[in-house]
Amino acid sequence: MKTIKQISIFLENRKGSLDKILSVLSNQEIELQAASVADTKEYGLLRLITSDQTRALQLLNDNGFLVNLNEVMAVTIPGDIASFASVVSSLTANDVTINYLYTFSKDGKLVLILKTDNMEKAESVIESQGLELVQGWE
């Protein structure tokens, strides 16, 4: 399956929590490629894609953060809403539920980071549209 690694970090809803995580990574010159924060009243979940996922995971573990490594899909599409909508519609039409997604722009295109309830089926649907699944990130 064509997936990439994503780091998920439990983030307390306290002043400075995010700053501590980012300081640990920036002090070791790890670059941030994509980030997403989901929150509730008591805590948040920070999702990161960095220039060196293995080292970032180890650094965060060593500094006492609760971290997890997940498999997600990264899909490159044109940067317009119609292309974004087409991917979502295709997945929905094929009974693939999107658990979460976030995006970032790279080289004039949009990269969708997706976690679905059926990653293999999602890969098949995406590839049938002639879209590129990103591979080779750490």
Side-chain angles (χ1 to χ4, degrees):
M1 197 165 38
K2 298 175 184 170
T3 60
I4 62 169
K5 306 284 187 201
Q6 168 193 266
I7 298 172
S8 297
I9 308 154
F10 176 77
L11 185 65
E12 291 183 89
N13 279 353
R14 290 190 189 166
K15 182 180 180 180
S17 294
L18 180 59
D19 183 48
K20 289 177 187 176
I21 291 168
L22 297 177
S23 291
V24 165
L25 298 176
S26 67
N27 287 341
Q28 295 297 314
E29 298 180 5
I30 292 177
E31 296 177 14
L32 182 63
Q33 295 177 331
S36 172
V37 177
D39 70 331
T40 67
K41 191 172 185 177
E42 288 86 30
Y43 66 92
L45 183 62
L46 175 62
R47 295 180 173 115
L48 298 176
I49 298 177
T50 70
S51 58
D52 188 338
Q53 296 290 74
T54 303
R55 197 162 59 111
L57 183 71
Q58 187 63 52
L59 285 166
L60 293 167
N61 269 321
D62 290 349
N63 281 274
F65 295 102
L66 297 175
V67 297
N68 194 355
L69 198 60
N70 312 99
E71 298 285 330
V72 294
M73 300 178 83
V75 184
T76 302
I77 64 171
D80 58 273
I81 292 177
S83 297
F84 190 176
S86 177
V87 171
V88 172
S89 293
S90 293
L91 291 170
T92 301
N94 285 280
D95 297 318
V96 176
T97 300
I98 299 171
N99 296 340
Y100 62 83
L101 72 82
Y102 55 100
T103 66
F104 65 95
S105 182
K106 182 177 182 180
D107 301 326
K109 295 196 175 202
L110 196 61
V111 180
L112 307 178
I113 304 297
L114 298 161
K115 181 72 169 180
T116 70
D117 67 337
N118 187 333
M119 298 288 277
E120 288 181 19
K121 190 171 185 181
E123 180 179 325
S124 175
V125 169
I126 289 165
E127 287 182 336
S128 74
Q129 289 191 306
L131 297 173
E132 178 188 352
L133 287 161
V134 177
Q135 290 185 279
W137 274 339
E138 169 66 17

